[in-house]
Amino acid sequence: MTGEPVVASPAPASGRGPDEATARRRFVTVSFLFWFPIGMSIATGVLLFTERGMGLAAIAGFYAVHSLTAAAMELPTGGLSDVIGRRPVLAIAGLLNLAAFTFIGLGAAGWAIALGMGLMGLARALSSGPAEAWYVDTVHAHAGPDADLRTGLARGGSVTSAALALGTLLGGGLPWLLGLVPGLGEWLADATGGLVILLSVPALLGALVEVVFVLYVLSALTEPPRPRTGVRGVVGGVPAAIAAGLRLGARDALIRRILLTASAAGAALAAVELLTPGRAAALMGTAESGALVFAGLACAGFLCSALGSQLAPLVARFAGSSERAVLASLGLVTLGLTLLGLTSHSMSALATAAAVTGYGLVYLGLGAAGPNENDLLHRRVDASGRATALSVQSLSLQLVAAGAGLAAGSLPPGPLPWLLAATAVLAGALLWLRRAAPAKPLPEAVPRTEADGSATLSAHP
């Protein structure tokens, strides 16, 4: 791709590869298998590291390693997927997560945990676009560029949230259930020289799930052969794909809106994830009971996100377009953050109910917005840059989330951090008041052919 906004080729669908229903089912399965073990690690991560003797500063450093690795590698790995293919990159991501969960589950030293978190961050960057890009490529190849994408994207988002919710519950409950067996924890520690404790079981189980993930990716995500690419081609092609992805946001108004909306979502998630655990602990009176409440609340949030993703096509039909659906969804997020801000100084039953409602609205709105945003994005880019565009979108969210989290943590507790996040989301919603002009193909554009693999390009004034 050259960096100008591109649209999918109008060439007729070939009908090759899996049909739409099969592609959707495989995309959903891959999404579940990738995110389920991550959900299990959410519930026990901090407690496991604490049990290993790590202080809070060290634990914060481990999570920083994960976030910074994911952000630094987001664009290079997206470009790699566009150069060598979706399936090999996803398989590599699964192998990296397999190693990461093994290091985290067995690591008693700080360097081993940091290495595991870094590998997980790299796997996160590798996985941020290829599965969805494979799904869109496959549907376009079978049914043409005008095929419906929202249904599959919505189901993928729903299953991702459901996998996180189920994983969080299982990861939090499994050590407790195993602890009911007399002497099991001591036996595991003695038999493994202290490497395996009850809290490490979810991570090790996650490593086993990654084996299934890799095998499924290699067997199910079939894709047409790409031109043979050597080391020089990969090294040379990735920077070009990165540069083209960055130019997308600079030259296409609709893609720029999508990236700015992802940034607003990052601000919202940073505020919710940073500030909610403290509020739960303050409400319950102790950190332990607050953590239990937060685990349940996080699970409910993931389920709200799943519901929002499932409702995304319906919201688009009622609103009249994907653009209007994004506007309405971000309005829900703004309302939810506002409720959380206005109730931040009160512990009354009414204020607590309003805060829980606001928390649910944030995730419901973000879940409904995502598939509609990505439906618009995939109609603006072609297969040669689809994974890169998704990586740019993910990078926008992660970078702003990191900055917003630091800002929220430095502000005094109370409504201000919540309301600032609400303002950021409202600004993102207002971008969608006007419809974006459609992309127009260049006069000299050449349709894609099986022989040369070129794409139809379009410039956007």
Side-chain angles (χ1 to χ4, degrees):
M1 58 190 289
T2 64
E4 287 82 2
V6 291
V7 293
S9 168
S14 66
R16 297 179 179 180
D19 57 26
E20 293 177 72
T22 302
R24 186 163 55 241
R25 184 171 61 253
R26 294 179 182 180
F27 171 54
V28 164
T29 302
V30 165
S31 298
F32 180 89
L33 289 175
F34 183 83
W35 288 104
F36 177 66
I38 293 176
M40 287 194 289
S41 71
I42 290 174
T44 57
V46 174
L47 293 175
L48 172 61
F49 302 153
T50 302
E51 190 70 15
R52 298 294 195 190
M54 306 298 164
L56 288 178
I59 294 172
F62 298 149
Y63 282 98
V65 168
H66 174 274
S67 298
L68 292 175
T69 303
M73 298 304 297
E74 191 68 67
L75 289 181
T77 53
L80 182 65
S81 171
D82 287 330
V83 173
I84 69 172
R86 323 304 189 194
R87 180 169 58 175
V89 170
L90 276 174
I92 294 170
L95 292 174
L96 288 172
N97 263 343
L98 169 61
F101 285 123
T102 302
F103 274 112
I104 291 171
L106 299 179
W111 68 265
I113 298 174
L115 178 58
M117 294 297 283
L119 291 174
M120 189 181 295
L122 180 56
R124 175 68 183 89
L126 280 165
S127 69
S128 65
E132 187 170 314
W134 175 88
Y135 168 70
V136 176
D137 291 344
T138 304
V139 171
H140 281 175
H142 187 271
D146 295 325
D148 172 63
L149 299 175
R150 278 194 298 258
T151 300
L153 296 177
R155 291 186 183 178
S158 296
V159 166
T160 294
S161 298
L164 287 168
L166 182 60
T168 300
L169 288 178
L170 181 60
L174 188 58
W176 178 80
L177 289 174
L178 294 176
L180 298 178
V181 180
L184 179 60
E186 292 80 2
W187 178 82
L188 281 175
D190 292 340
T192 60
L195 292 179
V196 178
I197 60 177
L198 293 180
L199 286 171
S200 64
V201 171
L204 297 177
L205 182 59
L208 295 178
V209 175
E210 293 297 338
V211 175
V212 179
F213 171 81
V214 172
L215 293 176
Y216 187 82
V217 164
L218 293 176
S219 62
L221 299 195
T222 56
E223 55 183 345
R226 293 174 180 264
R228 296 178 64 90
T229 304
V231 174
R232 179 178 297 180
V234 172
V235 173
V238 170
I242 293 171
L246 293 174
R247 286 196 295 268
L248 282 174
R251 299 189 181 187
D252 187 287
L254 179 60
I255 293 179
R256 190 159 56 247
R257 288 187 194 181
I258 293 172
L259 298 181
L260 290 172
T261 301
S263 300
L269 288 171
V272 169
E273 293 174 359
L274 179 68
L275 302 175
T276 305
R279 288 184 65 168
L283 177 67
M284 300 304 296
T286 66
E288 293 78 11
S289 57
L292 180 62
V293 169
F294 175 68
L297 193 59
C299 178
F302 291 138
L303 293 177
C304 286
S305 180
L307 177 61
S309 295
Q310 195 66 29
L311 293 176
L314 182 63
V315 174
R317 286 196 292 271
F318 275 113
S321 67
S322 291
E323 292 171 324
R324 294 293 181 183
V326 174
L327 174 62
S329 301
L330 293 181
L332 278 183
V333 179
T334 303
L335 176 59
L337 290 170
T338 302
L339 285 174
L340 284 164
L342 295 178
T343 58
S344 59
H345 278 320
S346 176
M347 298 293 177
S348 68
L350 180 60
T352 300
V356 171
T357 300
Y359 186 92
L361 288 177
V362 169
Y363 281 94
L364 182 68
L366 290 175
N372 287 300
E373 291 173 38
N374 286 11
D375 174 66
L376 294 166
L377 177 66
H378 291 308
R379 297 183 187 281
R380 213 68 162 194
V381 299
D382 72 353
S384 66
R386 182 161 287 127
T388 301
L390 289 168
S391 290
V392 175
Q393 182 187 27
S394 178
L395 179 62
S396 299
L397 186 149
Q398 291 185 47
L399 288 179
V400 172
L406 292 174
S410 65
L411 292 172
L416 184 57
W418 296 104
L419 297 180
L420 286 178
T423 301
V425 175
L426 178 61
L430 295 177
L431 295 173
W432 298 93
L433 286 175
R434 295 180 58 188
R435 294 179 65 90
K440 299 178 181 179
L442 287 171
E444 64 271 20
V446 180
R448 181 193 301 269
T449 65
E450 292 184 8
D452 62 18
S454 60
T456 300
L457 306 178
S458 66
H460 196 68

